[in-house]
Amino acid sequence: MDTNKGLKSTLIGIIVSAILAIIKGVGGIAGNSYALIADAIESMTDIVTSGMLWLGLKWSARPADTEHPYGHGKGEALISVGIGLGLVAAAILIAVKSIENIATPHKTPELFTLIILVAVILTKEILYRFVLKTGKEINSGAVEADAFHHRSDAITSAAAFIGISIGLIGGKGYENADDYAALFASAIILFNAYKIIRPAIGELLDEELDMELNKKVREIAAQVDKVLFVQKCAIRKMGVFKIADLHVWVNKNLTVEEGHNIAHRVKDAIQLAYPYFIDVMIHIEPASEEVMAKASSSNQKHLHDDQNHRHDVR
């Protein structure tokens, strides 16, 4: 992983969010718009979560050691959860203040707040695309999560723009339109938080997150010479990397050395196709003549994890 790319995009995000938070906070107070103030609060959470991400990237990039033999990649998933929880906190805060303001009469926001919001929306959307592109390039879920945080900021700004516009056009009686807009934006932020937290928790629990990748890894392993079929394939995510565990069936009459060489060829083939697999652990299973004949006649290359079938083989 090119950690420096992730660190650079995160640092840019922190600087931009800090500038925008100040502009939106001052503009919201001067322009009498809580939607803009709420937007400033959302930008402040961007700064906090991006700071967490910056530290998390440094941690997850550390090599394996005695206490962490599989590396520190899970730290990235923890950071993603932290970013998601930061979004939840921001959404709740914005929703509570919006409801309070709806119940409290106040003046219509000033026209200049719309100009601020247009600039913010454009800036945050550009930042979102830049950070998302970086996250995909380095295969980092945490960086992609940070990108969606910037998109959430753009959404709250768009909602504020619509609310303030309604208030200005509608005039008296529509003063609370921007508060309703902020309330609506909080719901969108909560939804984005779920989209960030759910896969991160799945990674921490070693869930199978990509069945299509699992299928392709099985196919690659099955095509290696002298592999009869693949019984099991489990893939887990470790930050930007992945680890695979496979059970590969071969002729029981092969020597230990031949089985060992087949396992290495399977591992090499998978890592050649998908370099982000930092390890591929192969368990060689011995197949009898009967099973080999069955595999050959049906051209079978895959065997699902079925305990009854496995008992028959043995």
Side-chain angles (χ1 to χ4, degrees), residues 52-64:
M52 291 168 56
L53 173 60
W54 194 85
L55 293 174
L57 286 174
K58 278 190 165 295
W59 171 264
S60 63
R62 294 172 63 184

Side-chain angles (χ1 to χ4, degrees), residues 6-44:
L7 292 173
K8 180 181 177 181
S9 69
T10 302
L11 184 59
I12 291 173
I14 291 173
I15 295 172
V16 172
S17 294
I19 294 172
L20 292 180
I22 294 172
I23 293 174
K24 288 188 287 188
V26 173
I29 294 172
N32 194 42
S33 169
Y34 180 70
L36 195 52
I37 295 174
D39 212 8
I41 294 173
E42 216 283 324
S43 287
M44 290 300 294

Side-chain angles (χ1 to χ4, degrees), residues 3 10 41 61 93 144 160-161 231 235 250 253 274 281:
T3 307
T10 302
I41 294 173
L93 179 60
E144 290 184 38
F161 182 90
Q231 182 184 27
I235 297 174
V250 301
N253 296 316
Y274 301 103
M281 291 175 279

Side-chain angles (χ1 to χ4, degrees), residues 20 24 33-46 87 90-95 98 113-114 116-118 120-121 124-125 148-164 177-192:
L20 292 180
K24 288 188 287 188
S33 169
Y34 180 70
L36 195 52
I37 295 174
D39 212 8
I41 294 173
E42 216 283 324
S43 287
M44 290 300 294
T45 64
D46 282 351
L87 280 173
I92 292 174
L93 179 60
I94 290 172
S98 296
T113 57
L114 293 179
I116 294 176
L117 286 168
V118 170
V120 169
I121 292 169
K124 275 295 185 175
E125 183 62 22
F148 281 105
H149 207 160
H150 294 306
R151 167 60 67 83
S152 293
D153 203 0
I155 290 172
T156 57
S157 297
F161 182 90
I162 295 172
I164 293 173
D178 71 321
D179 299 317
Y180 281 104
L183 187 61
F184 173 73
S186 68
I188 296 176
I189 293 172
L190 280 176
F191 177 70
N192 282 334

Side-chain angles (χ1 to χ4, degrees), residues 41-292:
I41 294 173
E42 216 283 324
S43 287
M44 290 300 294
T45 64
D46 282 351
I47 298 170
V48 174
T49 55
S50 291
M52 291 168 56
L53 173 60
W54 194 85
L55 293 174
L57 286 174
K58 278 190 165 295
W59 171 264
S60 63
R62 294 172 63 184
D65 53 35
T66 304
E67 294 181 348
H68 306 88
Y70 292 101
H72 299 76
K74 292 291 186 183
E76 190 189 81
L78 286 172
I79 292 301
S80 293
V81 172
I83 290 174
L85 291 177
L87 280 173
V88 171
I92 292 174
L93 179 60
I94 290 172
V96 170
K97 293 300 295 182
S98 296
I99 293 172
E100 289 179 358
N101 283 346
I102 289 172
T104 305
H106 59 77
K107 296 179 181 179
T108 303
E110 298 294 335
L111 180 62
F112 71 81
T113 57
L114 293 179
I115 299 174
I116 294 176
L117 286 168
V118 170
V120 169
I121 292 169
L122 292 175
T123 302
K124 275 295 185 175
E125 183 62 22
I126 292 171
L127 187 59
Y128 159 76
R129 294 174 184 274
F130 167 68
V131 176
L132 183 64
K133 180 174 179 290
T134 301
K136 290 186 179 300
E137 285 178 353
I138 66 175
N139 191 34
S140 171
V143 174
E144 290 184 38
D146 195 42
F148 281 105
H149 207 160
H150 294 306
R151 167 60 67 83
S152 293
D153 203 0
I155 290 172
T156 57
S157 297
F161 182 90
I162 295 172
I164 293 173
S165 296
I166 292 174
L168 289 171
I169 295 172
K172 188 173 179 58
Y174 289 85
E175 295 89 352
N176 292 330
D178 71 321
D179 299 317
Y180 281 104
L183 187 61
F184 173 73
S186 68
I188 296 176
I189 293 172
L190 280 176
F191 177 70
N192 282 334
Y194 169 78
K195 289 188 357 182
I196 291 171
I197 293 173
R198 180 62 189 86
I201 291 177
E203 180 180 340
L204 291 172
L205 296 177
D206 286 332
E207 287 183 7
E208 184 64 70
L209 300 175
D210 192 343
M211 291 304 298
E212 184 62 29
L213 176 62
N214 189 299
K215 178 183 176 182
K216 290 178 179 178
V217 167
R218 283 172 173 262
E219 291 173 349
I220 291 170
Q223 290 168 4
V224 173
D225 185 38
K226 295 185 179 181
V227 170
L228 298 178
F229 44 76
V230 179
Q231 182 184 27
K232 289 182 178 180
C233 178
I235 297 174
R236 49 186 163 146
K237 193 171 184 293
M238 296 289 292
V240 299
F241 303 111
K242 287 182 171 64
I243 296 175
D245 297 270
L246 293 90
H247 281 218
V248 174
W249 289 73
V250 301
N251 186 331
K252 72 172 186 177
N253 296 316
L254 295 177
T255 65
V256 173
E257 183 178 6
E258 288 173 321
H260 174 78
N261 290 336
I262 291 171
H264 268 287
R265 290 201 297 272
V266 172
K267 179 177 180 177
D268 292 342
I270 293 171
Q271 290 183 316
L272 179 63
Y274 301 103
Y276 49 73
F277 276 96
I278 56 172
D279 199 3
V280 180
M281 291 175 279
I282 312 294
H283 179 76
I284 296 294
E285 295 276 8
S288 65
E289 286 82 358
E290 180 184 354
V291 176
M292 288 188 293

